[in-house]
């Protein structure tokens, strides 16, 4: 009898255990796709439209939801857990679903002018301490900022240096110097930003200054006038202002006009190309010669002053060669280059 | 705005923190949503908007006033609002004769509209109508999507991505197991989408994993998919681009062979083989006057097997 009851008990216990084990298992045709990082589960199984009859719709949906949630929870419980202040916490992996971002990823800041230079030279930043020992106040103060260690604008006594004007206000001078430094820093910061965003800034001669000379003002004014859509042709003029100088307008022959003229021109061109004699541009040759003579005189003076001896410049001997000797179009010559033996190529 | 950002430096720490929170970041925080009403709304729509706002709290703003705009035609007003409140998701509810009880779910990328999907509400049961104890605000919900349409149909796929974006909470590294209460279940059948919200009760089962019993709490919606305005493919791809810094760094010196054994290289310093610590053989020890040749043990220090 006892054996029977024991068997019964065992059978009952087994049945119960099977029951509980069954309770967390769910049968599905297709496995679900999980994204534990987002606590997400996707069920791709087909849903029969007949299951969604009006009466049992809610129950069907609830049963479906229960099954899917059970599978999701089974997956979540497989994650590694740890205990954090009397609560059991499961560590989630990274979310795998790709979702669009809110904003574009941040662009790295382009280096400033100083940073580029430092990189080029290999200058590294030295880590400085935040606090500096201030002797006068006998305490640790900030290196810069509010109530800093060596604030020279806050001094109550400044010795007037010997070279300075006795009536000059040294305190005002210091304050002004600081203001100028701040303004310079601000200007450099804005320039860095403009360079990084590739915004065009006007050249330094055109930026407004405290006192500009007459030429600078005139130049700035003319640039401003011509920077309109019609290149300043319809801008009003001041009563005594001179009208803008018209540039030389090039003239061209019409395309199909004078046939004999064209024929003449082309024959001449061919003749010039054919000749073996070099062509001579008299003005250019004369100018070149004059320039060279000036250069030689200057060099001679310089050498005399320096006191160097024995300079046998080939050009010294080759001076009075004349026009024929030069003989080539200035295209080959180039400005300012001295030839060892002029006339020979 | 970005052009002036670096030109105008913030003067207080508070404004600096504010600008930094709005600046683009490598890993972004949770997206917030703007919930707004259109020119004409019905009781259903206003109540539904309030319910979704309570689901999405605290990362949502609910506007009380009506906005007479049509998102599908003109999205400038939406973009303006998103710039002001720094929200990248929106929900626009309206009601007119042609489109009764209309919801437009949408998201923005870089303050321009990315996707917009219009859903019509057929049946709606509000939070207050279902009498059950609710989950606390701000719990991260578990999302379940059922139905093949969410995988096969393009529009449904975008809708799924949008709903995940909308309803998932902040991305957390760990979650409290007892706090997994809220479940949002979406089913897609024949162009209709059923959204149900349940609360899970963790019951004892024989093993460690509990058995789930569900209790319906939240608002339940029967949606019908209507118009969509989806982003073009290249804009969509651009929105998904992750910055390079986020890519996981590849660990060097680890290779696997066909069997899955993990290999690594151990680089040894040059050894002086005459000073190797070998077995001491007393008989071979150097005695005075005798020359003994030692055995050189050649070691190949190159590849050491590391069992994976």
């Amino acid at each position: 009898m006892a054996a029977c009851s024991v068997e019964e008990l065992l059978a009952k216990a087994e049945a119960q255990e099977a029951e509980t084990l069954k309770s967390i298992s769910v049968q599905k045709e297709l496995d679900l796709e999980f994204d534990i990082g987002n606590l997400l589960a996707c069920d791709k199984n087909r849903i029969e439209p007949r299951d969604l009859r009006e009466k049992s719709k809610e129950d069907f949906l609830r049963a479906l939801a229960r099954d899917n949630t059970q599978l999701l929870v089974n997956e979540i419980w497989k994650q590694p857990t740890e205990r954090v202040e009397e609560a059991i916490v499961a560590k989630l992996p990274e979310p795998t679903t790709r979702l669009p971002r809110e904003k574009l990823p941040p662009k790295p800041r382009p280096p400033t002018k100083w940073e580029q230079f430092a990189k080029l030279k290999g200058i590294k930043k030295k880590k400085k301490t935040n606090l500096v020992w201030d002797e006068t106040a006998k305490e640790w103060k900030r290196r810069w900022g509010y109530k800093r260690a060596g604030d020279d604008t806050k001094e109550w006594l400044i010795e007037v240096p010997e070279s300075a004007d006795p009536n000059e206000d040294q305190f005002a001078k210091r304050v002004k110097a600081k203001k100028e430094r701040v303004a310079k820093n601000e200007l450099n910061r804005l320039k860095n930003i403009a360079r990084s965003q590739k915004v065009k800034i006007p050249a330094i001669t055109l930026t407004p200054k405290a006192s500009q000379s007459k030429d600078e003002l005139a130049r700035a004014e003319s640039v401003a006038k011509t920077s309109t859509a019609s290149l300043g042709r319809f801008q009003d003029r001041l009563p005594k202002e001179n009208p803008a100088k018209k540039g030389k307008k090039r003239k061209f022959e019409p395309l199909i006009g004078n046939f004999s003229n064209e024929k003449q021109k082309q024959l001449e061109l061919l003749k010039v190309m054919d000749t073996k004699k070099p062509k001579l541009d008299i003005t250019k040759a004369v100018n070149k010669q004059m320039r060279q003579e000036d250069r030689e005189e200057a060099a001679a003076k310089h050498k005399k002053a320096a006191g160097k001896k024995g300079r046998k410049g080939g050009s010294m001997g080759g001076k009075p060669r004349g026009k024929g000797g030069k003989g080539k179009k200035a295209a080959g010559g180039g400005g300012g280059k001295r030839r060892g033996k002029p006339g020979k190529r | 705005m970005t052009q002036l950002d670096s030109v105008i430096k913030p003067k207080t720490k508070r404004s600096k923190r504010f600008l930094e929170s709005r600046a683009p970041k490598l890993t972004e925080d949770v997206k917030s949503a703007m919930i707004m009403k259109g020119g004409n709304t019905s009781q259903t729509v206003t109540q539904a908007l309030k319910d979704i706002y309570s689901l999405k709290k605290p990362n949502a703003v609910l506007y009380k006033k009506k906005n007479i705009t049509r998102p599908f035609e003109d999205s400038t007003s939406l973009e303006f609002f998103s710039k002001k409140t720094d929200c990248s998701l929106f929900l626009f509810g309206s009601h007119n004769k042609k489109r009764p009880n209309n919801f437009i779910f949408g998201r923005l990328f870089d303050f321009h509209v990315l996707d917009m999907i219009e859903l019509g509400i057929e049946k709606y049961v509000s939070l207050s109508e279902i009498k059950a104890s609710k989950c606390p605000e701000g719990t991260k919900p578990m999302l379940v999507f059922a139905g093949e349409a969410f995988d096969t149909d393009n529009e449904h796929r975008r809708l799924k991505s949008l709903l995940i974006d909308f309803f998932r909470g902040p991305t957390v590294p760990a979650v409290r197991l007892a706090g997994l209460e809220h479940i949002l279940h979406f089913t897609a059948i024949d162009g209709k989408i059923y959204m149900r919200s349940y609360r899970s009760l963790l019951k004892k089962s024989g093993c460690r994993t509990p058995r789930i019993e569900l209790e319906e709490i939240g608002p339940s919606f029967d949606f019908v998919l209507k118009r969509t305005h989806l982003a073009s493919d290249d804009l969509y791809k651009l929105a998904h681009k992750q910055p390079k810094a986020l890519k996981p760094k590849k660990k060097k010196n680890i290779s696997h062979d066909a069997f899955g054994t993990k290999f690594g290289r151990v680089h040894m310093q040059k050894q002086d083989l005459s000073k190797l610590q070998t077995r001491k053989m007393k008989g071979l020890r150097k005695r005075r006057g005798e020359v003994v040749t030692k055995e050189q043990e050649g070691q190949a220090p190159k590849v050491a097997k590391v069992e994976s």
Side-chain angles (χ1 to χ4, degrees):
Chain A
M1 285 300 269
C4 273
S5 59
V6 165
E7 268 176 27
E8 268 178 44
L9 278 171
L10 278 173
K12 239 201 230 172
E14 254 187 69
Q16 261 185 351
E17 210 174 304
E19 187 69 42
T20 47
L21 276 173
K22 195 172 59 160
S23 66
I24 63 158
S25 60
V26 176
Q27 281 295 352
K28 286 270 184 184
E29 272 176 19
L30 280 169
D31 276 336
L32 267 59
E33 272 179 14
F34 297 106
D35 176 9
I36 304 297
N38 276 326
L39 299 178
L40 174 73
C42 302
D43 179 13
K44 295 196 184 41
N45 291 305
R46 211 181 122 67
I47 302 170
E48 299 298 324
R50 60 182 155 78
D51 288 335
L52 276 172
R53 270 170 293 130
E54 194 53 53
K55 282 174 269 184
S56 63
K57 188 163 69 171
E58 293 299 321
D59 299 327
F60 172 72
L61 285 174
R62 184 196 288 253
L64 179 64
R66 197 220 78 79
D67 289 340
N68 288 334
T69 320
Q70 184 68 63
L71 288 166
L72 177 60
V73 162
N74 291 353
E75 277 300 314
I76 295 174
W77 252 253
K78 285 185 196 161
Q79 299 299 319
T81 59
E82 58 180 16
R83 206 175 174 84
V84 172
E85 291 175 16
E86 86 214 10
I88 304 175
V89 146
K91 284 216 272 260
L92 297 176
E94 293 278 327
T96 52
T97 339
R98 280 190 74 201
L99 290 166
R101 281 177 64 98
E102 235 181 343
K103 301 172 188 138
L104 286 159
K107 274 183 271 204
R109 207 171 44 106
T112 61
K113 192 135 189 221
W114 167 253
E115 281 171 7
Q116 286 170 7
F117 178 76
K119 198 166 140 198
L120 189 67
K121 288 278 190 176
I123 301 170
K124 287 201 182 46
K125 268 198 202 179
K126 283 209 194 99
K127 182 103 180 164
K128 295 195 178 113
T129 57
N130 283 344
L131 302 175
V132 188
W133 178 252
D134 188 8
E135 266 308 316
T136 48
K138 294 277 191 298
E139 63 172 2
W140 290 96
K141 282 196 175 170
R142 278 172 224 190
R143 189 184 286 275
W144 63 274
Y146 181 60
K147 285 190 192 161
R148 58 180 172 276
D151 192 356
D152 56 347
T153 50
K154 294 274 192 297
E155 268 185 49
W156 55 272
L157 178 92
I158 305 175
E159 289 175 9
V160 177
E162 293 196 48
S163 54
D165 177 19
N167 293 334
E168 196 184 8
D169 186 359
Q170 297 293 329
F171 297 100
K173 186 172 155 192
R174 280 211 178 159
V175 168
K176 213 172 92 163
K178 175 148 176 88
K179 286 210 173 116
E180 279 175 14
R181 274 179 278 145
V182 167
K184 176 173 176 267
N185 194 14
E186 185 67 19
L187 178 71
N188 282 333
R189 184 180 79 93
L190 291 174
K191 270 206 224 162
N192 276 325
I193 293 168
R195 192 182 317 113
S196 72
Q197 289 176 356
K198 298 191 180 44
V199 169
K200 292 222 190 294
I201 38 174
I204 193 72
T205 44
L206 292 175
T207 46
K209 276 192 292 210
S211 56
Q212 287 175 301
S213 68
K214 190 170 162 192
D215 325 314
E216 283 173 11
L217 272 175
R219 182 155 174 267
E221 193 261 342
S222 69
V223 167
K225 200 169 190 179
T226 43
S227 20
T228 53
S230 43
L231 295 178
R233 279 187 62 194
F234 304 112
Q235 293 297 104
D236 298 326
R237 243 187 301 137
L238 287 175
K240 283 198 186 159
E241 197 185 346
N242 295 331
K245 274 189 280 190
K246 269 180 98 172
K248 197 161 102 172
K249 189 164 182 179
R250 290 176 69 184
K251 274 199 154 217
F252 296 105
E253 298 289 327
L255 271 181
I256 302 170
N258 205 342
F259 285 119
S260 60
N261 213 359
E262 197 179 330
K263 183 173 155 196
Q264 201 66 26
K265 278 217 175 103
Q266 298 220 2
L267 283 174
E268 264 185 48
L269 184 69
L270 285 172
K271 203 159 68 170
V272 167
M273 278 169 34
D274 248 353
T275 55
K276 301 267 162 73
K277 242 174 49 177
K279 196 172 159 192
L280 186 61
D281 185 357
I282 297 183
T283 349
K284 278 201 170 130
V286 169
N287 285 337
K288 211 173 175 196
Q289 175 73 345
M290 282 176 18
R291 242 186 289 130
Q292 188 145 27
E293 285 173 7
D294 291 334
R295 227 180 292 130
E296 283 160 20
E297 279 174 28
K301 268 198 215 147
H302 170 80
K303 294 299 179 202
K304 247 197 207 167
K308 275 195 187 140
K309 245 192 185 177
R311 207 190 140 271
K312 282 184 205 160
S315 42
M316 292 277 272
K319 214 173 66 159
R321 250 336 136 77
K323 311 172 217 166
K326 289 296 162 174
K328 199 160 189 188
K329 254 190 168 172
K337 275 218 178 112
R338 200 183 302 228
R339 309 280 168 202
K341 282 188 185 159
K344 236 189 188 176
R345 293 281 178 262
Chain B
M1 206 157 149
T2 45
Q3 290 248 339
L4 288 182
D5 265 353
S6 33
V7 175
I8 302 173
K9 264 175 33 184
K11 293 234 161 36
T12 57
K13 281 256 195 276
R14 186 165 169 236
S15 52
K16 188 175 171 197
R17 265 182 273 134
F18 176 80
L19 285 176
E20 271 176 18
S21 75
R22 294 235 171 151
K25 301 177 197 92
L26 274 181
T27 40
E28 296 181 324
D29 345 298
V30 63
K31 291 191 185 180
S32 23
M34 334 183 254
I35 301 177
M36 45 205 334
K37 298 196 277 195
N40 201 6
T41 51
S42 61
Q43 180 69 14
T44 342
V45 167
T46 35
Q47 191 62 40
L49 288 174
K50 279 205 192 123
D51 286 349
I52 301 222
Y53 172 64
S54 60
L55 279 182
K56 188 84 174 114
K57 265 205 238 188
N59 309 110
V61 265
L62 176 69
Y63 288 114
K64 289 202 185 135
K65 287 207 178 161
K66 296 188 181 165
N67 303 289
I68 308 182
T69 44
R70 299 202 180 116
F72 274 90
E73 277 136 47
D74 178 31
S75 46
T76 46
S77 152
L78 286 170
E79 290 170 8
F80 173 75
F81 277 127
S82 102
K83 261 195 220 147
K84 282 287 168 185
T85 58
D86 194 32
C87 291
S88 53
L89 297 165
F90 70 86
L91 172 59
F92 188 88
S94 65
H95 174 82
N96 36 21
K97 211 158 167 192
K98 194 171 171 195
R99 296 173 211 282
N101 297 330
N102 217 10
F103 262 15
I104 302 179
F105 279 93
R107 60 185 161 194
L108 303 120
F109 173 68
D110 199 22
F111 306 117
H112 293 295
V113 165
L114 187 64
D115 288 336
M116 275 196 290
I117 296 179
E118 190 179 53
L119 299 166
I121 304 175
E122 284 196 337
K123 191 164 92 80
Y124 162 63
V125 183
S126 80
L127 259 178
S128 38
E129 278 173 36
I130 304 172
K131 308 269 186 270
S133 58
K134 321 280 180 193
C135 301
E137 204 170 83
T139 44
K140 193 166 157 87
M142 292 192 271
L143 302 162
V144 185
F145 287 85
E148 328 163 280
F150 278 129
D151 209 35
T152 46
D153 183 27
N154 196 24
E155 296 191 343
H156 279 84
R157 254 187 291 166
R158 285 284 179 102
L159 176 63
K160 177 176 160 192
S161 153
L162 213 164
L163 290 170
I164 296 172
D165 231 349
F166 207 94
F167 288 112
R168 73 161 177 171
T171 312
V172 283
V175 71
R176 209 185 101 209
L177 289 178
L180 290 169
E181 293 181 312
H182 196 190
I183 292 149
L184 286 167
H185 186 93
F186 299 89
T187 325
I189 306 172
D190 313 321
K192 285 208 216 246
I193 293 134
Y194 300 97
M195 171 177 155
R196 300 285 181 269
S197 164
Y198 301 103
R199 177 154 182 247
S200 71
L201 307 158
L202 308 167
K203 292 270 158 71
K204 253 195 189 11
S205 74
C207 50
R208 198 172 145 245
T209 322
R211 183 181 159 82
I212 300 285
E213 291 296 334
L214 294 181
E215 188 193 343
E216 186 160 2
I217 45 154
S220 87
F221 291 94
D222 289 0
F223 289 125
V224 171
L225 185 65
K226 291 192 176 157
R227 297 185 285 179
T228 57
H229 175 271
L230 305 178
S232 59
D233 276 337
D234 37 309
L235 182 60
Y236 202 60
K237 251 194 227 168
L238 180 66
H240 281 260
K241 246 190 176 173
Q242 300 291 340
K244 268 208 182 130
L246 277 184
K247 270 197 278 200
K249 282 199 103 164
K250 197 173 174 221
K251 267 189 128 176
K252 287 186 178 175
N253 201 14
I254 292 179
S255 59
H256 296 266
D257 74 345
F259 297 104
T261 325
K262 224 174 174 184
F263 281 98
R265 274 182 165 233
V266 177
H267 298 268
M268 306 276 290
Q269 288 172 335
K270 204 159 172 77
Q271 285 178 305
D272 185 9
L273 294 173
S274 58
K275 291 204 173 53
L276 268 181
Q277 183 81 299
T278 59
R279 275 231 179 110
K280 290 180 176 43
M281 313 223 166
K282 259 193 174 168
L284 298 174
R285 270 228 200 118
K286 245 188 191 170
R287 284 195 195 87
R288 293 217 194 123
E290 274 187 54
V291 177
V292 181
T293 51
K294 256 201 240 169
E295 268 184 39
Q296 301 275 343
E297 272 189 38
Q299 273 205 16
K302 285 261 170 155
V303 180
K305 208 172 180 182
V306 175
E307 287 298 324
S308 58

